[in-house]
Amino acid sequence: MKGIILAGGAGTRLHPVTLAVSKQLLPVYDKPMIYYPLSVLMLADIRDVLIISTAEDQPLFQRLLGDGSELGMRLEYAVQDEPNGLPEAFLIGADYVGDDSMALILGDNIFHGPGMSDFLRDSRRDLDGCVLFGYHVSDPERYGVGEVDENGLLVAIEEKPQQPKTNRAITGLYFFDNRALDIAKNLTPSARGELEITDVIRPYQQEGRAKVIDLGRGFAWLDTGTHDSLLDAGQYVQVLERRQGVRIACIEEIALRRGFIDADACYRRGAALTKSGYGEYVMETARREREAR
């Protein structure tokens, strides 16, 4: 499975902050925003990831993450000239994905909860069509909303309904088989002039091959697209990290735990950031791993 992080767009809801820098490079407490979606793909054991951004921002992402080799990954980059809807990621990434399946995640979405790695890897292994991840919200009219049957299969999906039939929002994480590439190629723009992700999902839904996994109460799904939601996300991460003494979305730690890198490589990554609390945490994580072995 290949991963795609959609990190383009102008971030207009965060102006003037994003006039000079990509939204996905803004800090969410102690790390860049893009660390969070990248960590989700890593937890799913996905090591090949395409990062789609604007031409202006691409060198900044490359400076931050490089080719991924220090994390035991393979990162590539592509440009989205204009934000024309989520399915455009499939058009841009078609050659990169090839004949593989894919996981698409939005660059401004944060997921956190217990057992995430297990259910992501299970969802990837059992993929037959597409897998969506639902989350109950108080304002479903702001999202794509999905209705499911007793088997967890999607029976209807509607984008930003005026009168939602359920509070189940479809989050910004999607697993698709390779057929999604062909579906995306044949889409026509909506009345808003964009390609809609619901139009990619609908053929799977009609065939009974769109599964929805609800993220329970123990999970957090945060969208960081506004000033308030960005601040809320930072405070959420701050509180948990201070209380638990762990780092959320620490990509070096995840790479170590998943066997992408060894303790020495992890320590080197931390040493390069040694004057920050984040770097010290990475080095201590590597030390504990060495002692355990």
Side-chain angles (χ1 to χ4, degrees):
M1 176 176 277
K2 300 286 180 62
I4 300 176
I5 301 177
L6 187 55
T12 53
R13 292 185 297 166
L14 286 169
H15 280 177
V17 178
T18 48
L19 289 174
V21 65
S22 167
K23 171 176 61 176
Q24 290 83 10
L25 291 171
L26 295 177
V28 178
Y29 186 48
D30 58 351
K31 60 192 74 71
M33 186 186 298
I34 197 169
Y35 274 35
Y36 295 87
L38 178 60
S39 72
V40 172
L41 298 181
M42 294 172 71
L43 287 170
D45 277 343
I46 296 172
R47 302 176 73 162
D48 296 280
V49 177
L50 177 69
I51 298 173
I52 299 176
S53 67
T54 65
E56 294 81 6
D57 293 321
Q58 186 181 90
L60 301 178
F61 286 106
Q62 291 174 316
R63 180 181 176 184
L64 175 67
L65 298 168
D67 64 2
S69 58
E70 290 186 355
L71 295 169
M73 301 183 68
R74 293 169 291 273
L75 303 182
E76 295 190 24
Y77 301 85
V79 169
Q80 182 186 41
D81 294 321
E82 296 289 339
N84 296 312
L86 305 191
E88 190 172 41
F90 298 138
L91 306 181
I92 295 171
D95 290 341
Y96 174 77
V97 172
D99 296 328
D100 214 334
S101 56
M102 68 213 87
L104 171 65
I105 187 168
L106 303 188
D108 62 355
N109 274 213
I110 295 175
F111 296 84
H112 179 252
M116 179 176 290
S117 180
D118 290 337
F119 84 75
L120 287 175
R121 286 183 284 133
D122 289 346
S123 300
R124 170 187 171 180
R125 183 183 62 249
D126 299 334
L127 180 65
D128 178 24
C130 73
V131 175
L132 315 174
F133 298 89
Y135 192 81
H136 283 258
V137 297
S138 60
D139 50 354
E141 64 277 359
R142 294 181 51 222
Y143 306 96
V145 174
E147 298 178 61
V148 304
D149 63 17
E150 63 277 6
N151 297 314
L153 296 178
L154 185 72
V155 296
I157 186 168
E158 188 175 3
E159 186 69 26
K160 297 181 180 179
Q162 293 184 352
Q163 296 180 325
K165 296 179 180 179
T166 175
N167 283 64
R168 181 185 293 102
I170 301 301
T171 70
L173 173 63
Y174 315 85
F175 288 179
F176 286 99
D177 66 15
N178 194 261
R179 183 185 170 206
L181 299 179
D182 290 328
I183 295 173
K185 289 177 184 177
N186 295 300
L187 293 182
T188 56
S190 67
R192 298 190 300 167
E194 296 182 355
L195 302 177
E196 300 287 353
I197 192 67
T198 51
D199 291 333
V200 178
I201 296 169
R202 194 162 284 113
Y204 292 103
Q205 173 251 309
Q206 292 170 344
E207 297 169 0
R209 298 175 61 232
K211 183 179 180 181
V212 179
I213 298 176
D214 281 328
L215 304 178
R217 290 187 178 184
F219 279 85
W221 170 51
L222 305 171
D223 178 346
T224 55
T226 68
H227 295 289
D228 286 341
S229 61
L230 180 61
L231 180 61
D232 289 343
Q235 291 174 333
Y236 172 85
V237 174
Q238 179 191 42
V239 169
L240 284 184
E241 289 190 351
R242 283 186 174 181
R243 288 193 175 187
Q244 298 180 354
V246 298
R247 301 270 171 167
I248 296 172
C250 177
I251 55 178
E252 292 82 5
E253 181 177 23
I254 295 171
L256 178 62
R257 303 298 184 217
R258 299 254 55 83
F260 296 2
I261 59 175
D262 60 20
D264 291 339
C266 183
Y267 188 88
R268 287 194 296 270
R269 287 276 301 189
L273 306 169
T274 187
K275 292 186 178 181
S276 71
Y278 183 91
E280 292 172 359
Y281 176 84
V282 172
M283 288 190 293
E284 180 58 29
T285 298
R287 289 192 197 101
R288 290 197 301 268
E289 181 69 13
R290 286 170 176 167
E291 293 171 358
R293 294 185 179 182

